[in-house]
Amino acid sequence: SVSKSAQENFVSHSAVSQAIKSLETYFEVGLIFHSKRRFQLTPEGETCLIEGAKLLSLLNETKENLQANSKEVRGSLSIWAPQSLIVDSLYKTLAQYKKKYPKVQINLKPGASALVRAAISSGEGSLGILIDDGYIDSFQSTTIKNGNFILVTKSLNSQNKESGVIVTSREKIEVQHLIKNFKTKLKKDLRIEMEVMSWSVIKDLVEKNFGAGYVPDYCVHQELLSGRLRTISSPGTAFKYEVKAIWSLQKQLQPNAKLFVDLLKQECGRA
């Protein structure tokens, strides 16, 4: 709605309406279908939205390139990443980056991998950090670190044979790998306790004794070191993952983003 758009952009309702009217006057076409409580884009409006996003992205890229020529690092950096990566892996690098480049405005957006890819494709984000799930071929990328998916538990009592496992989704490739290992190595079906689409939430549930959890090892690194969680032996080979930074296939990596990636690789190399 116009009201929601005004609220999200911190302007008045009339300002949004006037901006839409000005665009329609300039392009000499209708951009929205008006109704009592909402509006819908016309075909011309959808084209305007897509092309406008491209223009804004080009303007931002031009601004970033101009600022890159300055001796002082400044400007902006838009990063998209899953919540678990932000909480468990990126926070130290973010702190270092802010200390080293205080005049760079960081816009950090949490989101699942599909949202990260969508943000980079649309130009809304300049850098995405995610686990390679096989759907990043349409992006440029570089590997940040790698590791294994593991089974973890709160206490030894959770390691009995009847214990269920909390996973993100049985459709995920890493969960399919675990299901297959249970069938081929243990001759039994994996008992899935529940499906939770967040590794951070799975970790929290395991710490509250809801059962065992299947997560990437980076997500529980500190908990394993402190003894709050323990690993459970998993049948067969471990499912390996790669954390990657991705950016648009049509653009060079933004200078501020490159500085962040370099710092992140250094931090992960020390872990």
Side-chain angles (χ1 to χ4, degrees):
S1 68
V2 172
S3 297
K4 185 177 179 181
S5 177
Q7 185 179 11
E8 290 180 350
N9 290 280
F10 305 103
V11 296
S12 66
H13 183 284
S14 60
V16 174
S17 297
Q18 186 59 44
I20 295 172
K21 185 177 180 180
S22 296
L23 285 172
E24 289 180 326
T25 300
Y26 179 79
F27 289 118
E28 299 181 351
V29 293
L31 299 178
I32 62 172
F33 295 116
H34 298 268
S35 63
K36 188 174 182 181
R37 294 187 177 180
R38 58 176 295 178
F39 65 83
Q40 182 178 352
L41 292 174
T42 63
E44 293 83 2
E46 292 178 356
T47 299
C48 183
L49 177 64
I50 294 171
E51 296 302 322
K54 291 179 182 178
L55 287 172
L56 287 173
S57 178
L58 180 60
L59 283 172
N60 287 331
E61 185 180 359
T62 301
K63 179 180 178 181
E64 290 159 2
N65 289 335
L66 290 172
Q67 291 175 340
N69 293 327
S70 171
K71 293 181 180 179
E72 186 177 42
V73 178
R74 54 197 176 95
S76 63
L77 173 59
S78 176
I79 304 173
W80 283 70
Q83 181 178 339
S84 63
L85 273 172
I86 294 172
V87 173
D88 298 305
S89 293
L90 301 186
Y91 69 97
K92 288 184 179 179
T93 304
L94 286 166
Q96 291 175 3
Y97 192 91
K98 285 300 296 179
K99 185 177 181 179
K100 194 169 184 179
Y101 310 114
K103 293 197 174 182
V104 175
Q105 179 64 46
I106 297 177
N107 184 14
L108 182 62
K109 296 287 187 72
S113 295
L115 288 176
V116 174
R117 294 193 299 269
I120 303 304
S121 294
S122 68
E124 186 175 354
S126 53
L127 180 68
I129 310 291
L130 45 65
I131 284 186
D132 184 359
D133 55 3
Y135 295 100
I136 64 170
D137 290 344
S138 57
F139 303 92
Q140 296 186 72
S141 66
T142 183
T143 300
I144 302 297
K145 66 176 180 179
N146 48 51
N148 300 317
F149 274 82
I150 57 175
L151 285 169
V152 294
T153 182
K154 170 72 173 178
S155 66
L156 295 176
N157 292 332
S158 299
Q159 296 190 41
N160 60 72
K161 293 184 178 180
E162 300 304 317
S163 176
V165 178
I166 306 171
V167 301
T168 49
S169 167
R170 65 181 68 241
E171 304 303 322
K172 289 274 193 174
I173 186 171
E174 68 272 8
V175 179
Q176 285 292 316
H177 179 85
L178 185 64
I179 291 172
K180 181 179 179 181
N181 280 349
F182 263 73
K183 285 185 177 181
T184 57
K185 301 297 181 181
L186 300 181
K187 309 301 181 185
K188 60 183 293 188
D189 291 331
L190 172 68
R191 179 169 169 261
I192 296 179
E193 186 71 26
M194 66 177 80
E195 297 181 24
V196 180
M197 287 302 293
S198 168
W199 291 314
S200 293
V201 176
I202 290 176
K203 177 180 67 176
D204 291 341
L205 290 172
V206 173
E207 288 198 89
K208 291 177 172 59
N209 264 327
F210 272 77
Y214 189 53
V215 294
D217 52 13
Y218 76 80
C219 186
V220 291
H221 178 68
Q222 294 299 326
E223 288 76 13
L224 292 175
L225 286 178
S226 65
R228 299 204 308 273
L229 294 180
R230 299 177 175 87
T231 58
I232 305 174
S233 59
S234 177
T237 58
F239 186 87
K240 299 184 181 301
Y241 70 82
E242 284 187 307
V243 174
K244 291 192 173 182
I246 65 170
W247 61 97
S248 173
L249 196 62
Q250 286 77 37
K251 302 176 184 177
Q252 290 185 339
L253 182 59
Q254 179 202 30
N256 287 346
K258 185 179 186 306
L259 292 173
F260 184 84
V261 169
D262 291 342
L263 271 181
L264 184 57
K265 285 183 175 181
Q266 291 174 19
E267 179 61 34
C268 290
R270 288 193 292 265

